[in-house]
Amino acid sequence: MKLLIDADYIVYKSCAGAEVDIDWGDDVIMVVSKFSEAMSNVQRELTKIKGHFTWDVPELILFFSDSVNFRKKILPSYKGHRNRKKPCGYKRVINALSEQYEVIRIPTLEADDAMGIYATANTGNVIVSPDKDMRQIPGRLFNMEETVMITEEEGSRWHLIQTMAGDQTDGYSGVPGIGIKRAVALFDEHGYTWETVVEAFKSKELDEDSALINARLAKILQNTDYDAAERKVIPWNPTAASN
């Protein structure tokens, strides 16, 4: 059994925590950091995660996002507000981690997608991520508080919920005015189907194409959604959505 860790946020947080501002005066402020401190921060986070599990030394696989994101071809504004420069030492820390752990980064994919593909191709492992998106992937998920088991049906339903509710932090809106609670209520009333999604979009004068864009942005890839030989994403289609 392996721990599949969303390492993007861990390394980002750890490197940012090692930064120090130096004010030289005369309108000059420099940001510096210690590599050893950033690495220590990362190792502390990984040790904390391992401490939640009972077997002696669980094997870790660290997943990182690629610098190119396939979702920007679907919607160019996707995560457009996240253009902040990476903290000092970010790449160096990842390079150092690659010498200690297995590191996986798949071209054009986010870490979430790489974890989803690996977890569904290699069942029996545990995804480690605080991101609610990972509730789409069947199997065990440690959300940094508890370990939960996600069924295939629950994963499919969560994808439809996120399609309707959108995710402002990722830059796709879903149905305006509908959040998670309202989406769940609509699905409970009308069924967890693609038709329920389309009707919700139509209620706000948005067509099915808009619903499909949101669905493809929301979808966390599984092994059946990616052609490894061609290194291409297989676009999600509504035929996969049924109750």
Side-chain angles (χ1 to χ4, degrees):
M1 185 184 301
K2 301 175 183 179
L3 301 183
L4 316 181
I5 298 180
D6 179 357
D8 276 342
Y9 89 98
I10 290 177
V11 173
Y12 190 101
K13 179 176 69 172
S14 297
C15 289
E19 288 185 337
V20 177
D21 292 347
I22 299 177
D23 190 342
W24 294 97
D26 295 327
D27 203 33
V28 177
I29 299 174
M30 181 183 296
V31 178
V32 299
S33 69
K34 287 185 177 180
F35 169 74
S36 58
E37 184 177 344
M39 281 296 293
S40 178
N41 290 344
V42 173
Q43 297 293 4
R44 183 169 55 250
E45 292 295 324
L46 295 179
T47 298
K48 188 187 303 182
I49 289 170
K50 287 191 289 186
H52 285 275
F53 298 89
T54 55
W55 65 93
D56 291 337
V57 185
E59 184 177 347
L60 310 183
I61 302 180
L62 309 185
F63 291 80
F64 291 95
S65 297
D66 190 43
S67 58
V68 177
N69 193 324
F70 81 94
R71 288 181 176 83
K72 286 188 174 293
K73 289 187 176 181
I74 301 172
L75 185 71
S77 61
Y78 178 76
K79 288 190 175 179
H81 59 294
R82 296 191 184 185
N83 291 323
R84 184 188 172 193
K85 175 183 173 296
K86 292 291 193 294
C88 290
Y90 185 83
K91 289 184 179 180
R92 184 177 172 186
V93 167
I94 294 176
N95 290 336
L97 290 170
S98 299
E99 298 176 359
Q100 301 177 37
Y101 303 96
E102 181 179 357
V103 166
I104 293 179
R105 181 192 284 112
I106 301 177
T108 76
L109 304 188
E110 297 181 56
D112 291 355
D113 300 304
M115 286 191 294
I117 291 169
Y118 189 99
T120 50
N122 304 275
T123 58
N125 298 304
V126 182
I127 289 176
V128 178
S129 173
D131 195 332
K132 64 183 184 300
D133 294 351
M134 301 314 296
R135 290 171 60 181
Q136 293 183 30
I137 304 301
R140 281 189 288 182
L141 168 66
F142 177 56
N143 60 15
M144 311 307 287
E145 294 181 358
E146 62 178 347
T147 301
V148 296
M149 178 62 75
I150 309 295
T151 67
E152 187 171 348
E153 181 183 27
E154 288 170 339
S156 297
R157 287 185 171 194
W158 187 251
H159 171 233
L160 293 179
I161 291 168
Q162 288 194 288
T163 298
M164 190 183 291
D167 190 332
Q168 297 299 329
T169 61
D170 284 346
Y172 65 96
S173 60
V175 180
I178 293 183
I180 295 293
K181 290 184 178 180
R182 178 58 180 156
V184 170
L186 286 173
F187 284 120
D188 286 345
E189 181 179 357
H190 301 289
Y192 282 81
T193 65
W194 180 244
E195 288 70 23
T196 301
V197 174
V198 172
E199 287 304 313
F201 275 84
K202 286 183 176 179
S203 71
K204 299 296 183 179
E205 299 184 349
L206 296 170
D207 59 18
E208 186 171 358
D209 285 343
S210 296
L212 186 57
I213 287 173
N214 278 267
R216 289 177 172 172
L217 293 172
K219 177 66 175 175
I220 302 301
L221 304 183
Q222 299 185 28
N223 64 319
T224 54
D225 303 311
Y226 187 71
D227 185 331
E230 296 292 329
R231 292 189 172 186
K232 290 183 179 180
V233 174
I234 299 170
W236 182 88
N237 284 306
T239 52
S242 61
N243 188 6

